[in-house]
């Protein structure tokens, strides 16, 4: 990492905090704690390196995927990928410190990369924040098993696998119907120049990790937010860790 540059001025920091807290006035020791955090962490986001703020769940098996994203970004020259979990907490009991830390880090990071595998947890709040101004323009989402169900949307193998998962693991479909639906999906994929066979798709679905074969199910709200990012070419779906690494490659 290159030497940190000067931190943003105190007025800019406090303006961000005021926005995060909707105008709640800080007590003197709270101001000191916030400024200490800003002086320690924000200079790392003001260097010639490209900074990446990686968002997602910190639960054990999900955290492993965040580390994959962080490691892939770290392989690039001149980058500083980081997770909020790796930074010091704010020692302030009275205030919602997540909001303060998020606003300060998201405002000063060059790029935000968010990984999704569920429609619950703190990621819901983060998705709501990054899908609006001022963070939308610098944000990318990587949702597992996401597919907007239109034929023209099958642009990659990951799109096809995500759509296939909703068919293959659907308990309401009998085996012949499942095969017919997968064959139809493969035909559509071929029309989009994606060379996958039904047997290849089944093999990949059966080898999903974690022993949890069912695809991720998202709320309609999540799907609409992902679609917004997709229409702006900033949503990259994935199904397994290798797909996730490929998705990270799509992030500038």
């Amino acid at each position: 990492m290159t030497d940190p540059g000067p931190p943003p001025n105190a007025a800019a920091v406090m303006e961000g905090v005021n926005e995060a807290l909707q105008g709640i006035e800080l007590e003197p020791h709270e101001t000191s704690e916030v400024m200490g955090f800003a002086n320690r962490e924000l200079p790392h986001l003001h260097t010639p390196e490209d900074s990446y703020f990686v968002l997602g769940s910190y639960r054990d098996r999900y955290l492993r995927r965040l580390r994959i994203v962080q490691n892939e970004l770290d392989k690039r020259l001149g980058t500083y990928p980081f997770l909020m979990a790796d930074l010091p907490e704010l020692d302030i009991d009275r205030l919602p410190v997540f909001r303060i830390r998020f606003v300060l880090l998201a405002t000063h990071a060059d790029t935000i990369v968010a990984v999704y595998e569920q429609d619950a947890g703190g990621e819901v709040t983060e998705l709501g924040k990054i899908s609006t101004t001022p963070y939308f323009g610098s944000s990318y989402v990587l949702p597992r098993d996401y597919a907007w169900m239109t034929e023209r949307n099958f642009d990659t193998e990951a799109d096809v696998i995500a759509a296939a998962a909703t068919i293959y693991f659907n308990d309401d479909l009998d085996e012949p119907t499942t095969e017919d639906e997968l064959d139809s999906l493969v035909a559509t994929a071929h029309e989009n120049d994606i060379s996958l066979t039904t047997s290849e798709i089944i093999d990949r679905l059966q080898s999903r990790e974690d022993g949890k074969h069912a695809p991720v199910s998202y709320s309609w709200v999540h799907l609409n937010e992902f679609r917004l990012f997709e229409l702006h070419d900033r949503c990259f779906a994935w199904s397994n860790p290798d797909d996730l690494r490929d998705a990270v490659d799509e992030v500038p």
Side-chain angles (χ1 to χ4, degrees), residues 148-184:
W148 188 261
M149 296 299 292
T150 60
E151 292 182 3
R152 65 183 179 183
N153 194 53
F154 294 151
D155 297 325
T156 67
E157 287 189 4
D159 293 334
V160 177
I161 296 299
T166 65
I167 298 170
Y168 186 77
F169 296 111
N170 187 339
D171 293 334
D172 294 330
L173 301 179
D174 58 25
E175 186 172 343
T177 303
T178 297
E179 291 180 359
D180 288 344
E181 292 289 336
L182 289 176
D183 288 342
S184 176

Side-chain angles (χ1 to χ4, degrees), residues 124-143:
V124 178
T125 299
E126 293 173 347
L127 180 60
K129 291 180 182 297
I130 66 173
S131 62
T132 59
T133 304
Y135 310 117
F136 180 76
S138 60
S139 298
Y140 294 80
V141 296
L142 311 180

Side-chain angles (χ1 to χ4, degrees), residues 1-212:
M1 182 187 301
T2 57
D3 291 335
N9 61 49
V13 170
M14 295 313 297
E15 181 180 353
V17 173
N18 185 66
E19 173 190 333
L21 299 179
Q22 300 296 319
I24 293 175
E25 185 174 348
L26 271 63
E27 298 175 0
H29 74 279
E30 294 169 339
T31 300
S32 177
E33 182 72 14
V34 168
M35 292 306 301
F37 177 86
N39 288 332
R40 286 191 307 270
E41 304 304 331
L42 297 189
H44 298 299
L45 310 184
H46 290 268
T47 74
E49 294 179 322
D50 294 322
S51 56
Y52 293 86
F53 186 12
V54 181
L55 304 179
S57 175
Y58 294 154
R59 295 182 180 91
D60 286 345
R61 65 191 182 95
Y62 301 130
L63 180 59
R64 292 199 297 271
R65 258 77 79 179
L66 300 191
R67 295 303 184 193
I68 288 175
V69 173
Q70 184 181 27
N71 290 338
E72 290 300 307
L73 292 170
D74 199 37
K75 292 177 182 177
R76 303 178 182 182
L77 293 177
T79 60
Y80 172 55
F82 67 96
L83 278 61
M84 188 189 295
D86 295 332
L87 305 182
E89 293 284 350
L90 284 171
D91 187 17
I92 302 174
D93 294 332
R94 184 177 73 99
L95 301 175
V97 293
F98 167 81
R99 294 182 63 90
I100 297 173
R101 297 169 82 216
F102 179 89
V103 166
L104 291 179
L105 296 171
T107 299
H108 294 276
D110 295 313
T111 304
I112 299 171
V113 183
V115 182
Y116 295 95
E117 295 189 62
Q118 56 180 340
D119 65 355
E123 307 93 287
V124 178
T125 299
E126 293 173 347
L127 180 60
K129 291 180 182 297
I130 66 173
S131 62
T132 59
T133 304
Y135 310 117
F136 180 76
S138 60
S139 298
Y140 294 80
V141 296
L142 311 180
R144 186 177 190 181
D145 293 336
Y146 164 74
W148 188 261
M149 296 299 292
T150 60
E151 292 182 3
R152 65 183 179 183
N153 194 53
F154 294 151
D155 297 325
T156 67
E157 287 189 4
D159 293 334
V160 177
I161 296 299
T166 65
I167 298 170
Y168 186 77
F169 296 111
N170 187 339
D171 293 334
D172 294 330
L173 301 179
D174 58 25
E175 186 172 343
T177 303
T178 297
E179 291 180 359
D180 288 344
E181 292 289 336
L182 289 176
D183 288 342
S184 176
L185 180 64
V186 167
T188 300
H190 289 172
E191 292 174 2
N192 287 273
D193 297 322
I194 300 173
S195 299
L196 282 172
T197 66
T198 301
S199 60
E200 288 173 339
I201 289 174
I202 292 175
D203 287 344
R204 289 177 62 170
L205 292 174
Q206 290 179 338
S207 64
R208 286 168 64 93
E209 61 170 8
D210 296 338
K212 182 180 180 181

